[in-house]
Amino acid sequence: MAEPRGWSLAPGACSLHSMSPPSDNNSKRRLFRLLRRGARTGSVGGRSAVEESALWNAHQRAASAVRDSGEAAQRIASHVAKQRGTVDGLADRARAVSARAQDLSISFGRIVDSFARLELVALNAGLEGARMGEGAAQALGLVSDEVRAQATRGSEASRELSTTLAEIGSELLQVNASLDRTRETAAEVAQEAARVGGASADAERALVDMGDRLRKTTGSDPETARAIAEATDHARALVAALGTLSGKVPQALVVGALRPVLEPLSRMLEGDDEEQT
Amino acid sequence: MGEGQAEGPAQELTGGVVFRVGEERYFLPAAVACKVLPMPGVARVPGAPSDLVGVALVEGAMVPVVAVGELDGRGSRRPPPTSRPRADNRPMLVCVVMGERVGLVGLEILATGFFAPAEPEGVVHGDAPVPLFDVGAVVARLREGRWAV
């Protein structure tokens, strides 16, 4: 079985010249000349374009990251300011509760005082009854004992409440101390966020300056570098696709399909070549 | 009624007040013990013995105030200087001794009312005998003591 007359990208296997009609020979020659020149110089120039593209990509990623970090620092500062407002409100409430607790403690002191006086009244009633005589004093003594017992209970309960209130006051003092520490920490975080924001602004300015210098040094810009990188990728993809067709598809079919696409490229590269020569 | 009231009907009860000085309990009959008052404001008497806390205005009359026990928890028989001029809730037992009223402080009132008698002149309180407090001796000691001027 005869093999179809195909073509190959392998070195020395190129047979476009032999396959193509004579009218196409000139354009093909130009294309191969350009390709050969590209083989001689393109390795350096292509690598340079790729490196420039990578450099611009890195520059843009750095600029984006710096911008994000600056915005994050601003958000942190905003959140810290809100948190500080909340902490201040809590501290005010804790102070108000502490003041109320002190007022209540004074009130409990008065209650304890009243119970103590009531206890003395009961004792005096008993003493008075003792002076009145046994018979008449019995009822008075009973009342005196009951009043004294209730006054003692009330006094003890008031003391317990006062003690509990003092403990609450102590806890509130600790809460206030914790809130003060939280406020100090929030202030430190706000300062650090401001520093981060300032550093991000500096870095952003430095990156803008770096971009200007890069543009002057390389003569390119991010958009051009990106377009070159994309064109390089497409060219690599084309070469890879041709590689898969190598030896399988008739050469005339491939050339016929590629010519409308490659002609403008050939003309463009030829013009560039003529400018240089 | 007093806690140590006797159960036997034939026993004649004694009315008065039982109080504690330190760890000891004492009894004073109702004829001597007039009333229990909160500690009044006391004016110090310069050069007075340490037992004499000062003088206080009680129901319109000046009454000497005598410490019979510790007045605070620091071993002093006088109240702390800051609280000395002020009235507080510590009880003062007003007694009549030889026709004169005197206030006893530094004690804790335990009970008032009738109590079963105990030999020789005391009463029973809480199933234990309680001796009679010799308030006359306290006043006499004050009168005999040297007053530093």
Side-chain angles (χ1 to χ4, degrees):
Chain A
M1 195 170 84
E3 289 185 3
R5 289 197 65 194
W7 63 288
S8 174
L9 285 176
C14 184
S15 57
L16 275 174
H17 286 290
S18 59
M19 292 176 54
S20 306
S23 57
D24 292 337
N25 281 345
N26 288 336
S27 61
K28 289 174 189 168
R29 201 174 295 118
R30 282 200 302 273
L31 175 61
F32 278 104
R33 191 173 65 244
L34 287 171
L35 287 173
R36 278 196 297 277
R37 188 170 61 82
R40 283 197 307 274
T41 62
S43 59
V44 176
R47 204 159 47 228
S48 172
V50 170
E51 291 298 326
E52 281 177 20
S53 173
L55 197 59
W56 278 114
N57 275 338
H59 177 268
Q60 285 193 321
R61 280 203 308 275
S64 175
V66 164
R67 202 161 40 246
D68 288 348
S69 65
E71 289 171 0
Q74 284 182 350
R75 284 196 297 273
I76 288 171
S78 171
H79 290 321
V80 166
K82 284 180 188 169
Q83 186 195 32
R84 194 169 180 182
T86 306
V87 168
D88 285 344
L90 277 175
D92 289 343
R93 284 170 181 265
R95 272 192 290 273
V97 172
S98 183
R100 290 291 302 275
Q102 284 182 351
D103 292 343
L104 278 175
S105 183
I106 293 170
S107 299
F108 276 123
R110 289 198 196 103
I111 291 171
V112 169
D113 190 58
S114 298
F115 278 127
R117 297 293 174 100
L118 195 59
E119 204 171 346
L120 292 184
V121 169
L123 285 171
N124 279 320
L127 198 56
E128 201 63 37
R131 258 193 295 275
M132 288 167 65
E134 194 175 343
Q138 192 172 11
L140 189 58
L142 287 173
V143 172
S144 165
D145 288 347
E146 183 62 21
V147 168
R148 194 178 175 213
Q150 295 302 326
T152 304
R153 283 179 59 190
S155 182
E156 286 172 357
S158 298
R159 281 198 186 91
E160 285 174 8
L161 283 171
S162 186
T163 303
T164 306
L165 207 58
E167 289 171 0
I168 291 172
S170 174
E171 291 289 329
L172 282 171
L173 283 178
Q174 290 183 9
V175 168
N176 269 329
S178 299
L179 287 173
D180 286 342
R181 282 197 297 274
T182 305
R183 195 184 293 127
E184 289 170 6
T185 306
E188 289 172 4
V189 171
Q191 282 183 354
E192 294 298 324
R195 282 199 197 100
V196 170
S200 297
D202 287 345
E204 203 167 356
R205 281 193 293 274
L207 280 169
V208 169
D209 186 37
M210 188 187 294
D212 291 342
R213 290 174 187 277
L214 196 60
R215 194 173 285 110
K216 284 179 188 168
T217 305
T218 62
S220 65
D221 54 70
E223 289 73 22
T224 305
R226 193 183 307 114
I228 289 173
E230 285 175 2
T232 305
D233 288 342
H234 292 159
R236 283 204 185 99
L238 177 62
V239 170
L242 289 174
T244 58
L245 296 175
S246 175
K248 298 176 184 173
V249 180
Q251 183 183 3
L253 189 64
V254 173
V255 171
L258 290 179
R259 181 177 292 119
V261 180
L262 293 180
E263 273 293 333
L265 176 63
S266 174
R267 276 198 299 276
M268 185 183 75
L269 292 173
E270 186 182 15
D272 181 52
D273 187 53
E274 285 169 356
E275 281 177 9
Q276 285 187 2
T277 56
Chain B
M1 294 290 282
E3 295 172 10
Q5 184 175 354
E7 293 176 359
Q11 210 170 17
E12 190 173 345
L13 301 179
T14 305
V17 55
V18 174
F19 57 92
R20 181 162 54 201
V21 178
E23 297 298 320
E24 299 295 327
R25 289 182 297 175
Y26 298 99
F27 169 74
L28 269 178
V32 177
C34 293
K35 60 173 61 178
V36 184
L37 295 176
M39 180 82 169
V42 176
R44 292 181 62 190
V45 178
S50 60
D51 288 344
L52 183 63
V53 178
V55 292
L57 190 63
V58 176
E59 295 171 345
M62 295 303 289
V63 173
V65 178
V66 181
V68 295
E70 299 292 339
L71 293 181
D72 56 30
R74 290 172 293 182
S76 169
R77 302 197 70 184
R78 291 188 175 191
T82 51
S83 64
R84 200 170 293 154
R86 293 174 52 240
D88 56 33
N89 286 323
R90 289 174 299 174
M92 181 176 76
L93 182 59
V94 181
C95 305
V96 176
V97 184
M98 293 175 281
E100 297 288 337
R101 292 207 300 177
V102 60
L104 303 181
V105 294
L107 47 82
E108 180 188 359
I109 307 292
L110 297 177
T112 56
F114 285 97
F115 304 91
E119 294 298 330
E121 294 176 307
V123 295
V124 176
H125 177 253
D127 297 331
V130 176
L132 181 70
F133 185 76
D134 192 358
V135 65
V138 172
V139 175
R141 192 166 63 242
L142 277 179
R143 286 180 175 170
E144 290 169 2
R146 286 189 172 183
W147 287 47
V149 178

